Amino acid sequence: MSHSVSYTKDGDIGIITVNNPPVNALSQHVRAGLSESFIAANSDPTVATILICDGRTFIAGADITEFGRPMETPNFLETLLTMENMSKPVIAAIHGTALGGGLETALCCHYRVAVPSARVGLPEVHLGLLPGAGGTQRLPRLIGAQAAVDAIANGVQINAKAAHAAGVIDELVEEGKLLEGAKAFARKIVANGAPLKKVRDMNEKVTGVDPAIFEKARATAMQTRRGFKAPLSCIACVEAACTLPFEEGMARERELFQELHDGMQSAAQRHIFFSERAASKVDDMPKDVKLLDVKTVGVIGAGTMGGGIAMNFANVGIPVFLLETKQEFLDKGLAVVRGNYERTAKKGRLTTEQVEQRMGLITPTLDYADLGSVDMIIEAVFENMPIKKEVFAKLDEIAKPGCILATNTSTLDVDEIAAVTKRPEFVIGTHFFSPANVMQLLEIVRGAKTSFEVLATTLAVAKTIKKIGVVVGVCDGFVGNRMIHQYLAQGQYLLEEGCLPDAVDAPVYDLGFAMGPLTMSDLAGLDVGWRIRQGKGLPASLPAGQRYCEIGDRICEQGRFGQKTGGGFYNYDPSTRSKQTAPEIEKLIVDYSKEKGIKRRKIDSEEVLERLMYALINEGAWILEEGIAQRASDIDVIYVYGYGVPAYLGGPMFYADQIGLDKVYKRVCEFAEQDPASWKPAPLLKKLAEQGATFN
Ligand code: CAA
């Protein structure tokens, strides 16, 4: 037998156990072990065979590290056929998560039992794939076309109770007693002479299905996951289960799986899957770091960010003190939080009790002394260094020893903030993205003196509140905002050189970004950057030789701060918020170029795309070189989860790798020649380009 699969017997029951930590993925040796074990079990004088897993979970799917390479034998489909064609009942005993190929394996067993905490699902769509081992053909035969489309095209996990109700699980067994429960079930069905239930034979094809469900699913997928190919292929496969006999449906599934597997989208999404997990690893972190307890939290500032941050903790049952300087600010902040919860409740995603329970976990206060007992305090006050320093000096006085002091600054020097305390090792940056209760990214800013305990605990807190934490170093704007600054600047330069707003935004939108740079600025609010620039005395204080475009400032001077004021680079319909061209702004742009003596030219969309993307990539390379990000894939994760870059592009650094760094570097050098004030080719980009290497 293979080292990761064992076959044992308990009396008349055969037991096949998979042990392939950490998640019992279907690596080649597991497939080989399963094939051999089932062949052995079939010829044994046992009455039934149980398939169970050691460790934390049932099989969590194919081994994703094997994708992108030719599949080594045994072929998974053949292994599954061996199981399905067993001459005695096979029972899958499920705990943890039976996902992807794991659930497909279970669907080839004749029966399935599970503990109540188990979950099942076909999440391949999140990897840019579809379930390629019969999942799209078997699941609809078991639970019907609509439920299967919902589960497969959205990749949702279903809890054991719901799976039992839907017929995916035949029996729920007592938590902690999976093997005993599975054996009892096996003996029961054998005693009852129950048939060998093959899901594939349940219906020749899934009949009586209204084709409109597929049209609706396609329309939703195209709207909510614009540009992603996998959801559409998933839907097509379920549709095939309703129109074709099983074997033909399987052939269609194979064909579409192969197409996705060989395509760039899945490669990019698999890159993001592993990058997301790598991001939580800190290269120099000792293995034995002890985590601090974070059971209660304080948030300072009940504005948009503070309120959103507090919600994250309340959502997972952690009590929060929310502190403000005035009762009216507290009242306003809490009303916004309540409004957010009530909107979610109206959509049916929270019950009224849950709304009250979450609100009950947020305690408003005006008194810093209330924060004296909490384990972590997150400051989310106005982005201004003197104010932040004042807050941290106060926190140093009132916080208990061992309390983590976090700042939600998006640009400021965390070390300077830490220096006003007597415990800089407990100070860290937690840069949430707006809206903080929605966006998944959390940049965790490691200060020069931040301790490993504080860093490791903050990473763990990120996971607890369901954020993707990425560790970054201290610099102006950290990773995300420092890069976006270069990108937004190019957006403005393109305007003064010849583009109108839509010509700047369209190329990146067409590439897959949620929106272009100008639409993004309108959404974020043009006044934010304007006030910061005014605070810095720009443009008067601009060092010689630096480039500056005043178009954004001129727009703000008209009281146009973006979407919230009904207009910025574009106009917005007050009721629908739909974006329209603003002729007055187009005139402002053309007049501005004339005033500055800039001869406007026709700039093609390829140049627009290159300048925007390469501005991100070049700055990303500087960031890597300076050690502000640990690895290129961290930058990719930041852009996918914080800046609306679709996972199917894999993030800016992965995108650069696909273009070829030699090509990127050559263009960056050409841009630098034309405009040395705004382009400084990164030495790392040069080095990798010359070596024919990649970032990732
Ligand atoms: N293949 C290879 N490695 C995997 C893996 C897989 N399917 N799933 C998880 N891992 C690895 C992770 O990369 C991670 O490795 P490191 O410790 O080195 O970082 C480790 O296992 C633990 O994973 P998590 O940190 O994610 O652990 P978790 O407990 O938070 O979550 C999980 C466990 C829910 C199973 C989660 O890992 C997960 O969702 N995995 C992917 C499941 C999936 O997509 N399955 C479908 C695969 S495609 C398929 O099956 C195609 C088919 O049709 C045959």
Side-chain angles (χ1 to χ4, degrees):
M1 290 306 148
S2 117
H3 64 276
S4 51
V5 184
S6 62
Y7 174 53
T8 54
K9 276 176 275 185
D10 179 6
D12 54 355
I13 308 276
I15 302 166
I16 294 173
T17 308
V18 179
N19 182 8
N20 184 28
V23 297
N24 288 316
L26 289 158
S27 315
Q28 186 277 335
H29 48 91
V30 173
R31 299 195 302 275
L34 284 174
S35 293
E36 288 169 30
S37 301
F38 274 102
I39 290 167
N42 210 27
S43 53
D44 250 358
T46 49
V47 293
T49 310
I50 291 169
L51 173 63
I52 193 163
C53 294
D54 275 345
R56 66 203 223 205
T57 180
F58 190 76
I59 299 164
D63 184 340
I64 307 167
T65 60
E66 291 182 357
F67 285 143
R69 299 189 249 140
M71 193 195 254
E72 282 180 62
T73 55
N75 178 305
F76 184 39
L77 292 174
E78 283 163 17
T79 306
L80 291 181
L81 276 187
T82 308
M83 291 171 50
E84 198 171 43
N85 291 333
M86 289 276 288
S87 56
K88 55 192 137 196
V90 179
I91 298 109
I94 301 172
H95 75 295
T97 43
L99 300 177
L103 178 57
E104 289 173 306
T105 302
L107 291 177
C108 287
C109 297
H110 306 119
Y111 295 92
R112 288 153 294 280
V113 300
V115 289
S117 61
R119 282 175 290 141
V120 303
L122 294 172
E124 286 88 340
V125 70
H126 301 307
L127 296 168
L129 293 169
L130 55 84
T136 67
Q137 302 306 297
R138 288 190 177 87
L139 194 63
R141 285 174 164 78
L142 197 55
I143 65 173
Q146 179 70 67
V149 164
D150 291 345
I152 297 172
N154 300 318
V156 289
Q157 293 183 20
I158 307 166
N159 65 43
K161 206 170 144 212
H164 182 231
V168 178
I169 304 293
D170 296 289
E171 194 167 285
L172 292 175
V173 303
E174 196 182 327
E175 200 72 50
K177 296 200 172 154
L178 181 58
L179 185 57
E180 289 93 317
K183 282 193 280 192
F185 179 84
R187 294 204 166 99
K188 183 173 73 184
I189 55 165
V190 171
N192 291 346
L196 299 179
K197 263 191 357 191
K198 289 189 191 173
V199 175
R200 61 186 288 159
D201 296 337
M202 287 177 70
N203 289 302
E204 204 227 335
K205 50 189 157 185
V206 189
T207 49
V209 179
D210 178 358
I213 69 165
F214 301 112
E215 285 319 313
K216 190 160 169 249
R218 269 188 276 274
T220 308
M222 284 193 275
Q223 199 192 2
T224 57
R225 282 166 293 166
R226 184 176 67 92
F228 283 86
K229 292 181 177 159
L232 300 176
S233 298
C234 288
I235 297 164
C237 283
V238 178
E239 199 169 14
C242 305
T243 50
L244 300 174
F246 184 79
E247 287 304 340
E248 286 176 43
M250 286 294 284
R252 180 86 179 119
E253 179 190 272
R254 191 97 298 261
E255 179 195 348
L256 291 180
F257 177 85
Q258 205 58 45
E259 223 171 72
L260 292 175
H261 172 271
D262 297 346
M264 267 328 296
Q265 289 204 350
S266 177
Q269 288 179 255
R270 291 186 322 254
H271 162 69
I272 290 298
F273 176 86
F274 288 115
S275 303
E276 201 182 305
R277 281 151 182 84
S280 64
K281 298 184 173 90
V282 179
D283 289 341
D284 58 338
M285 176 89 73
K287 284 211 163 54
D288 53 354
V289 172
K290 272 183 104 178
L291 295 186
L292 303 166
D293 256 354
V294 178
K295 295 214 165 74
T296 51
V297 169
V299 174
I300 303 185
T304 319
M305 285 312 281
I309 294 170
M311 287 175 76
N312 286 308
F313 289 95
N315 291 349
V316 295
I318 296 179
V320 198
F321 280 105
L322 186 59
L323 183 137
E324 256 302 348
T325 48
K326 287 194 181 142
Q327 187 62 41
E328 58 183 290
F329 298 154
L330 265 185
D331 294 343
K332 200 171 155 207
L334 278 174
V336 172
V337 170
R338 177 172 283 283
N340 285 339
Y341 280 137
E342 284 177 350
R343 261 193 304 282
T344 311
K346 260 201 195 115
K347 289 180 199 152
R349 286 194 259 128
L350 277 183
T351 62
T352 320
E353 293 76 51
Q354 283 169 321
V355 172
E356 293 314 320
Q357 184 251 343
R358 290 179 193 200
M359 286 306 293
L361 284 167
I362 304 177
T363 309
T365 178
L366 298 170
D367 187 357
Y368 267 86
D370 280 341
L371 304 187
S373 61
V374 302
D375 303 314
M376 180 175 194
I377 302 176
I378 302 174
E379 161 279 309
V381 302
F382 195 64
E383 185 76 346
N384 170 288
M385 185 56 100
I387 301 179
K388 301 242 184 213
K389 282 183 173 173
E390 201 180 300
V391 169
F392 271 76
K394 204 171 257 171
L395 291 182
D396 199 25
E397 282 167 25
I398 58 99
K400 70 176 185 187
C403 174
I404 297 176
L405 305 180
T407 168
N408 179 49
T409 178
S410 54
T411 49
L412 299 176
D413 185 340
V414 174
D415 293 330
E416 199 179 326
I417 297 173
V420 303
T421 72
K422 289 189 256 350
R423 42 175 141 178
E425 65 279 16
F426 281 94
V427 177
I428 193 162
T430 47
H431 177 207
F432 288 82
F433 285 68
S434 187
N437 53 314
V438 178
M439 296 297 285
Q440 273 186 286
L441 179 65
L442 182 68
E443 273 187 334
I444 298 177
V445 192
R446 177 182 183 179
K449 296 194 175 158
T450 307
S451 74
F452 283 120
E453 285 77 9
V454 168
L455 187 58
T457 306
T458 307
L459 276 160
V461 167
K463 202 163 184 186
T464 305
I465 61 173
K466 303 191 168 77
K467 299 281 175 209
I468 293 164
V470 184
V471 177
V472 300
V474 175
C475 68
D476 187 1
F478 315 124
V479 171
N481 282 349
R482 175 169 157 185
M483 285 168 66
I484 211 76
H485 186 74
Q486 297 299 331
Y487 166 86
L488 295 176
Q490 283 303 319
Q492 300 257 324
Y493 303 152
L494 286 161
L495 287 179
E496 65 181 13
E497 289 173 37
C499 290
L500 292 174
D502 199 47
V504 175
D505 280 344
V508 279
Y509 178 80
D510 293 343
L511 185 68
F513 279 39
M515 61 192 86
L518 304 175
T519 309
M520 180 195 241
S521 304
D522 271 358
L523 184 66
L526 301 182
D527 51 329
V528 184
W530 184 45
R531 288 193 209 292
I532 293 174
R533 293 193 295 275
Q534 279 180 326
K536 290 182 180 167
L538 290 168
S541 64
L542 197 71
Q546 277 201 23
R547 188 170 174 181
Y548 188 88
C549 170
E550 291 169 50
I551 291 175
D553 298 347
R554 301 265 173 107
I555 294 175
C556 286
E557 280 159 20
Q558 298 186 3
R560 295 172 63 107
F561 297 153
Q563 229 189 70
K564 62 186 170 192
T565 57
F569 287 101
Y570 300 92
N571 288 329
Y572 296 88
D573 185 291
S575 50
T576 63
R577 289 198 189 165
S578 76
K579 191 174 82 175
Q580 291 137 11
T581 303
E584 62 275 44
I585 295 303
E586 297 195 341
K587 181 170 180 316
L588 181 151
I589 292 166
V590 174
D591 289 350
Y592 177 83
S593 305
K594 199 184 285 169
E595 178 194 317
K596 296 286 170 186
I598 301 168
K599 191 169 177 326
R600 294 180 68 79
R601 64 185 172 95
K602 167 118 194 58
I603 305 175
D604 64 27
S605 58
E606 194 184 342
E607 180 181 335
V608 173
L609 188 64
E610 285 177 334
R611 280 178 52 181
L612 293 172
M613 291 305 294
Y614 297 179
L616 284 177
I617 294 161
N618 189 48
E619 196 62 23
W622 276 108
I623 282 172
L624 275 177
E625 184 138 20
E626 292 166 23
I628 298 295
Q630 287 188 98
R631 42 187 97 80
S633 62
D634 287 358
I635 299 177
D636 289 332
V637 170
I638 288 173
Y639 266 77
V640 167
Y641 289 104
Y643 292 87
V645 172
Y648 69 70
L649 287 181
M653 309 314 270
F654 182 87
Y655 174 83
D657 288 341
Q658 307 317 306
I659 303 270
L661 299 191
D662 50 345
K663 184 167 174 233
V664 175
Y665 178 64
K666 186 165 167 278
R667 281 302 272 156
V668 168
C669 290
E670 285 165 11
F671 295 144
E673 230 171 270
Q674 290 154 17
D675 176 14
S678 67
W679 290 92
K680 305 262 177 294
L684 178 68
L685 178 59
K686 177 174 193 267
K687 189 173 100 187
L688 295 176
E690 284 169 356
Q691 290 172 346
T694 52
F695 284 123
N696 284 292

